[in-house]
Amino acid sequence: DIQMTQSPSTLSASIGDRVTITCRASQSISSYLAWYQQKPGTAPKLLIYKASNLEGGIPSRFSGAGSGTEFTLTISSLQPDDFATYYCQQYNPSSPYNFGQGTKLDIK
Amino acid sequence: EVKLLESGGGLVQPGGSLRLSCAASGFTFTSYRMGWVRQAPGKGLEWVSGISGSGTEYVDSVKGRFTISRDESKNTLYLQMNSLRTEDTAVYYCAKGSLRRFYFDYWGQGALVTVSS
């Protein structure tokens, strides 16, 4: 199975900061990587698919990069609505389609 | 507008069974991969099962106990859960995949399954 490891697990930042979350796969997944945002008590929301493609309706301050085993999610200028938990997920064409353990982004 | 509405969650004793349903609307249900993702209390997301034209897939911890299926006449996805264990306690989300991949662009509101005596 492919294991996904996110870092950091927790990140404290301020409004307007640029933040980057890293996701590493235990073996190459090409660009089969998605990023989700989840707020307490709600379902996850898709932000990015295929490593760098922005889902429709997602603000352009979110961006994704990487391929192979190392990926990043960057928020260029944090807004109040961005404080949440972020998950990566690999969907390389064989299950299980594992998620990372999550990165909680909170207000400094 | 895409909508996914789960039902069937609840409290069940260890060893018991439960069937989750997910009523889908707003897209061509038969064309898309569908899946179930769960989240134990205070924990992260775990992919559980998926279904496509190629067949069904499961995480190892539920193989032989859970069965995913879809009724295309009713636009409904199911998860039959048997031999439930306390560690299956979680919110179960129904999620819509893409045409060819198991990343999820729409999610239901979630159904809480509690396995406890």
Side-chain angles (χ1 to χ4, degrees), chain A residues 19 29-31 34 41 48 50 55 77 85 87-88:
Chain A
V19 300
I29 57 170
S30 184
S31 295
I48 303 278
K50 208 171 182 184
E55 175 68 354
S77 179
T85 300
Y87 295 93
C88 63

Side-chain angles (χ1 to χ4, degrees), chain B residues 75-96:
Chain B
N75 280 6
T76 301
L77 179 73
Y78 300 101
L79 186 67
Q80 177 67 45
M81 302 183 292
N82 299 331
S83 302
L84 282 160
R85 305 168 180 168
T86 55
E87 56 264 35
D88 295 319
T89 294
V91 173
Y92 284 73
Y93 294 103
C94 162
K96 171 185 168 291

Side-chain angles (χ1 to χ4, degrees), chain A residues 1 32 34 36 38 42-44 46 49 55 87 89 91 93-97 99, chain B residues 33 37 39 43-47 57-60 93 101-105 107-108:
Chain A
D1 296 356
Y32 296 116
Y36 302 86
Q38 187 181 33
T42 68
L46 176 67
Y49 62 96
E55 175 68 354
Y87 295 93
Q89 182 213 5
Y91 55 95
S94 67
S95 60
Y97 306 106
F99 291 85
Chain B
R33 299 187 172 213
V37 175
Q39 187 167 37
K43 303 297 185 183
L45 301 172
E46 180 183 32
W47 174 83
E57 301 175 70
Y58 302 91
V59 67
D60 282 351
Y93 294 103
R101 301 288 181 227
F102 279 114
Y103 69 90
F104 302 109
D105 55 2
W107 297 64

